[in-house]
Amino acid sequence: MATIRYQKTCAICGQPFTPRTVTSLYCSDKCSQSAYRKKKAEQKKAEQLKAIADAVPDERPFISIPEAIAIYGVSKSTLYRLIRLGQIPAINLGTRLLRISREEIEKMFTARQQPQAAKEKPAAKVYSLEPEDCYSIGEIAKKFGISESTVYSHIRKNSIPTRQIGRFVYAPKSEINKLYTGKNSSL
Ligand SMILES: [Zn+2]
C-alpha cells in the first residue's frame, strides 16, 4: 500500500509534488533552476531600477516615465491612465520624451511606497542634529554678525533643518557654514 505523503504545490510549475524535505519548494531540478534564474533576473531588475532612481536629482520637478516607475514602483499602465485622466500633469518634449510632474505623482504614491522612499531619503542629504554638530541661532548671529531674525529667514529660505532644545533653536554647523562661508567668500 502506498503511504499517504504530504504534498506541496510547486512554486514554479504549479504541479503537486512530494517534497524531499520540508523546505522543498519546487518539484524538480528543472523548476529549482528556473526559480534560481527568475530570482537572479528579479535582483538584476531591482538593481537597474535603483540605478535609474538614484540618478534622478531630488530637486528636478519633472521626471520621465521610466524614472517614475523606478522611483515610485508604479506600473506603466497606471501612470499612463493617470496622465490621460489629467491627474498627473505631463509635458511632452517630443517622441518618447514625456515628462511628468514629480510633485503630483508624489502626492499619490509616497504613502504606498513608504519603504522605498525612506530608503532613498538618507542618500539625498544627511544632517546631524546632535548638539555638538549644531550652532544655536544666537551663536550663528554672533559668529556671522547678523541679526537672529535674518538667521531665521535664511534658514527658512534654504530649508535648513532645525532642532529646538529648551528655549534654543539649533541648526547643523555644516549647513550654516556652507551657507555663510559661501556668501562671505564672494564679498
Ligand atoms: Zn515544478
Side-chain angles (χ1 to χ4, degrees):
M1 285 295 281
T3 50
I4 296 164
R5 292 194 60 186
Y6 171 61
Q7 294 260 294
K8 265 188 175 178
T9 302
C10 174
I12 288 293
C13 68
Q15 294 297 313
F17 71 104
T18 306
R20 268 174 286 183
T21 70
V22 283
T23 56
S24 300
L25 293 173
Y26 314 106
C27 69
S28 59
D29 285 346
K30 190 171 157 265
C31 282
S32 297
Q33 279 159 18
S34 166
Y36 177 78
R37 279 194 300 270
K38 201 170 142 190
K39 197 177 146 201
K40 281 282 160 200
E42 277 164 12
Q43 280 171 354
K44 199 173 165 205
K45 181 85 190 152
E47 279 164 22
Q48 286 168 342
L49 288 175
K50 191 179 179 301
I52 294 171
D54 286 350
V56 181
D58 266 359
E59 63 277 8
R60 213 171 73 211
F62 279 85
I63 55 177
S64 71
I65 301 288
E67 286 167 349
I69 291 167
I71 297 171
Y72 301 102
V74 58
S75 77
K76 201 183 220 174
S77 59
T78 303
L79 273 178
Y80 278 112
R81 186 166 43 82
L82 292 168
I83 292 167
R84 252 197 332 272
L85 292 169
Q87 292 185 20
I88 296 178
I91 47 171
N92 204 340
L93 303 176
T95 315
R96 298 170 71 88
L97 284 173
L98 192 66
R99 293 291 181 271
I100 55 180
S101 162
R102 189 173 185 161
E103 196 186 347
E104 293 305 314
I105 185 170
E106 208 146 87
K107 279 184 205 157
M108 289 179 205
F109 294 106
T110 24
R112 245 180 40 172
Q113 297 298 322
Q114 213 59 277
Q116 204 184 356
K119 240 192 285 164
E120 276 158 24
K121 281 283 147 59
K125 253 184 187 178
V126 185
Y127 301 105
S128 167
L129 287 172
E130 292 306 315
E132 66 270 23
D133 296 321
C134 289
Y135 295 126
S136 70
I137 302 302
E139 283 171 343
I140 299 166
K142 211 162 152 191
K143 188 173 162 77
F144 298 101
I146 46 178
S147 73
E148 292 194 11
S149 63
T150 306
V151 175
Y152 276 114
S153 82
H154 287 163
I155 283 175
R156 266 197 310 275
K157 219 165 82 188
N158 292 281
S159 306
I160 293 172
T162 57
R163 176 185 184 182
Q164 180 145 12
I165 304 172
R167 290 187 300 120
F168 298 101
V169 175
Y170 294 89
K173 284 180 182 175
S174 59
E175 293 306 295
I176 296 299
N177 285 330
K178 211 192 293 167
L179 180 67
Y180 292 117
T181 55
K183 254 187 189 170
N184 287 347
S185 65
S186 67
L187 289 176

